Amino acid sequence: MKHMIQSVASIALLILLIPDVTAALPPAFEGRKLYISHCLLCHGINGKGNGPLAKKMQIKAEDLTSAILSRSDSALQKIITGEARDTVSDSAGHGQISEDMPKWKNVFSPDQIKALIAYLRFLSTSSHTLTGDPELGFRVYRKYCSICHGKEGDGNGTMTNLIGIKPIDHTNPHKTDKLANDDLARSILDGKGRFMPAWRDILTKSEVDGLVSYIRLLYQVWGKLEAGGLVIVLRSPTMETNEDSTRSLLRDTSCKSEDNISEKGKARAIRIGKQFKSRGVPIEHVLTSPHCLAKETATFAFGQAESVEYLISGENLAEDQAELYISQLEDKIGSFSGNGNLVIVTHESNISTLSFQPFEEGYFLVLMPMGENEYEEIGTYKLNN
């Protein structure tokens, strides 16, 4: 008990002594402010196109929650600035932008446009509403939470190395999206684990609601992917979508048979490729496991696939062979450089080794090469299909 009291006292003192280092504000957080001041009147609070001004003046405003998904960041930038009203379509019948849409080219800076797009992505993909005031949440987060969770919310705060804790990475939607707003609020109020304190008698309900809303806005990954130079790791299908084909991975690694991937699997792969393409994510090269399902998934998704032996599943390999293959994989990731992104399609056991966590199908891992066999995990994100 005495040791715990001393630790808490030390933490409290440290909070007072740490300088308030300025960090870049989350793009979606900044974008929300722009949206409220410039877009809400027409597009509405939830982006459905039912804002009060649109109703009053009978303006046809776009439903952003559906339109955003089919357009890349560069296309959205042209819509916002007014540079390309008739050439922004990704599918027939969705290219015409209302003449009532203002041209914001001389109003928003390039950084503001990126922030606005980040918030539009949030509106179109998040299943969670913002029930509180993120502005209030921002102030509370920086005051109480950043010492452990970091100024950027990535779990890299001052306390992480000081006492060896690993707080949740709030910039990783894979770790926060599965939690309902009430679940996040409960963790804040009651604490969690050994080091997450309970804030029930310190924060008001408004502050907790604002904090939850701020956490929701902490990260959007697609903008980084559009810039290129990253590694996208996808899990190879472990089974066909047909229930009677659950162990088809090794059926024909030559891919010469006609039934290695089902029609459902093919359609799903195509949707994955379209998702990256619609977001303007450049794909430079695609490496896959030699297993047929991995190669066919990559081919249907991205139009290319180079199979390499070191991407084979390490589950049934001898320990020294598995370690050699992982070492080759890490070298490839760490040394990658390019204008586009490298896609790797491999197996759950290999991805778990890279990210130190179980990896579910339907998600993708994003890594930043750091040279040689070094890389940094940006996060794990859910595919929209």
Side-chain angles (χ1 to χ4, degrees):
M1 175 63 77
K2 181 179 179 181
H3 177 72
M4 179 63 73
I5 292 173
Q6 289 175 337
S7 298
V8 173
S10 299
I11 292 172
L13 178 61
L14 184 62
I15 292 174
L16 295 175
L17 295 177
I18 291 175
D20 185 21
V21 180
T22 302
L25 293 170
F29 174 75
E30 288 291 271
R32 175 184 173 272
K33 291 189 286 187
L34 295 170
Y35 181 88
I36 289 174
S37 59
H38 294 81
C39 313
L40 182 147
L41 281 175
C42 288
H43 292 284
I45 187 68
N46 295 317
K48 296 289 188 180
N50 57 355
L53 184 61
K55 292 179 179 178
K56 185 73 174 178
M57 299 184 65
Q58 296 184 333
I59 294 172
K60 183 174 174 55
E62 189 86 47
D63 179 353
L64 300 176
T65 61
S66 59
I68 295 302
L69 290 173
S70 64
R71 292 177 174 132
S72 68
D73 283 8
S74 58
L76 290 173
Q77 179 178 335
K78 291 177 181 178
I79 294 173
I80 294 169
T81 59
E83 294 175 359
R85 288 299 168 87
D86 301 318
T87 59
V88 295
S89 178
D90 289 304
S91 58
H94 292 83
Q96 300 299 319
I97 306 301
S98 170
E99 289 300 320
D100 295 318
M101 170 72 179
K103 299 180 180 181
W104 300 101
K105 182 176 180 179
N106 297 321
V107 178
F108 296 143
S109 70
D111 285 343
Q112 286 178 316
I113 292 175
K114 290 179 181 178
L116 183 56
I117 290 173
Y119 182 67
L120 296 181
R121 294 289 183 209
F122 168 81
L123 279 181
S124 63
T125 60
S126 178
S127 58
H128 306 286
T129 57
L130 302 183
T131 56
D133 179 8
E135 299 275 349
L136 175 59
F138 162 73
R139 295 192 294 271
V140 173
Y141 195 94
R142 292 294 170 94
K143 183 176 181 179
Y144 295 114
C145 311
S146 61
I147 190 170
C148 289
H149 292 281
K151 293 286 185 181
E152 308 287 349
D154 57 2
N156 192 29
T158 304
M159 296 301 298
T160 58
N161 295 323
L162 185 65
I163 60 176
I165 60 175
K166 190 168 180 59
I168 187 173
D169 178 359
H170 286 143
T171 69
N172 190 337
H174 180 54
K175 296 180 179 179
T176 54
D177 279 0
K178 58 187 176 185
L179 300 173
N181 286 340
D182 288 345
D183 294 329
L184 277 177
R186 194 175 301 111
S187 294
I188 295 168
L189 290 169
D190 299 332
K192 194 169 185 178
R194 291 180 59 198
F195 296 104
M196 172 66 185
W199 299 94
R200 184 173 293 278
D201 297 325
I202 299 173
L203 301 180
T204 65
K205 185 180 185 306
S206 295
E207 288 174 326
V208 172
D209 289 342
L211 197 51
V212 170
S213 295
Y214 176 71
I215 289 170
R216 296 296 184 201
L217 295 173
L218 273 172
Y219 196 74
Q220 297 287 325
V221 69
W222 294 103
K224 283 183 175 289
L225 288 174
E226 190 173 5
L230 300 177
V231 178
I232 301 165
V233 186
L234 292 167
R235 176 175 169 176
S236 171
T238 54
M239 61 184 69
E240 290 280 28
T241 50
N242 298 328
E243 291 183 3
D244 60 348
S245 305
T246 58
R247 289 293 178 184
S248 59
L249 197 59
L250 295 174
R251 189 189 326 165
D252 178 9
T253 58
S254 71
C255 292
K256 291 181 180 179
S257 70
E258 296 180 358
D259 60 343
N260 280 290
I261 190 169
S262 69
E263 288 302 314
K264 281 189 176 181
K266 185 189 300 185
R268 182 177 181 276
I270 292 172
R271 287 198 302 271
I272 289 173
K274 284 184 176 180
Q275 185 173 164
F276 284 96
K277 185 177 181 180
S278 71
R279 296 293 182 86
V281 176
I283 305 300
E284 186 160 316
H285 195 50
V286 181
L287 298 175
T288 81
S289 161
H291 293 303
C292 188
L293 288 182
K295 290 189 287 186
E296 289 193 334
T297 296
T299 301
F300 284 114
F302 304 106
Q304 56 171 305
E306 178 190 349
S307 65
V308 291
E309 192 68 18
Y310 59 78
L311 291 180
I312 196 170
S313 174
E315 286 185 325
N316 299 318
L317 297 176
E319 184 176 351
D320 58 343
Q321 186 67 61
E323 289 178 354
L324 174 62
Y325 283 172
I326 286 295
S327 177
Q328 290 177 301
L329 173 56
E330 290 179 332
D331 285 341
K332 184 64 179 180
I333 293 170
S335 62
F336 173 73
S337 63
N339 295 322
N341 299 287
L342 171 65
V343 173
I344 292 176
V345 184
T346 186
H347 305 277
E348 196 276 336
S349 59
N350 296 339
I351 304 176
S352 296
T353 301
L354 295 175
S355 63
F356 303 103
Q357 61 180 331
F359 195 84
E360 302 172 25
E361 203 165 342
Y363 289 81
F364 64 100
L365 174 69
V366 180
L367 303 173
M368 178 184 293
M370 305 293 285
E372 296 183 352
N373 64 345
E374 298 294 324
Y375 55 88
E376 181 176 290
E377 179 178 339
I378 293 180
T380 307
Y381 307 94
K382 190 172 185 179
L383 291 162
N384 293 328
N385 69 68

